[in-house]
Amino acid sequence: PRLEALKAKGANVAWHVFPKTTHAWDNGTANGYRAPTLFGGSHTYQFSAAATQESHNRVLEFFGRELRAAKQ
C-alpha cells in the first residue's frame, strides 16, 4: 500500500524482493544468529553476499538515474 501511495503522488520508487533471503541478509556479522520469533520459535539470519552486492548496485543505479533526472 505505501509503494502504491507514493507512486500515486508522483514519486519515482523502486521495489525488489530478493528470493530465498532472510532478515539481515546484508549483515555479515549477524550470519548464523538465531533470533526468537513472536510465536516461540526461532529464525536464523543468513548473510547473502550476492543479494548484498545486487542491492548495492541497484541503489547506486537508482540514485544515479534519479539524480541525473533531477538535474535536467
Side-chain angles (χ1 to χ4, degrees):
R2 289 183 181 177
L3 181 65
E4 295 306 321
L6 288 169
K7 284 183 176 181
K9 292 179 180 179
N12 191 2
V13 295
W15 185 271
H16 181 78
V17 175
F18 291 93
K20 299 183 182 179
T21 56
T22 63
H23 185 74
W25 52 265
D26 61 337
N27 183 354
T29 61
N31 192 41
Y33 174 74
R34 291 183 69 83
T37 64
L38 295 175
F39 304 105
S42 66
H43 179 77
T44 303
Y45 297 168
Q46 296 176 326
F47 174 70
S48 172
T52 298
Q53 185 61 54
E54 184 179 346
S55 68
H56 180 84
N57 293 343
R58 285 174 175 271
V59 166
L60 293 179
E61 289 169 7
F62 179 82
F63 284 147
R65 183 176 61 248
E66 294 304 307
L67 292 173
R68 279 190 300 278
K71 286 184 177 181
Q72 296 177 358

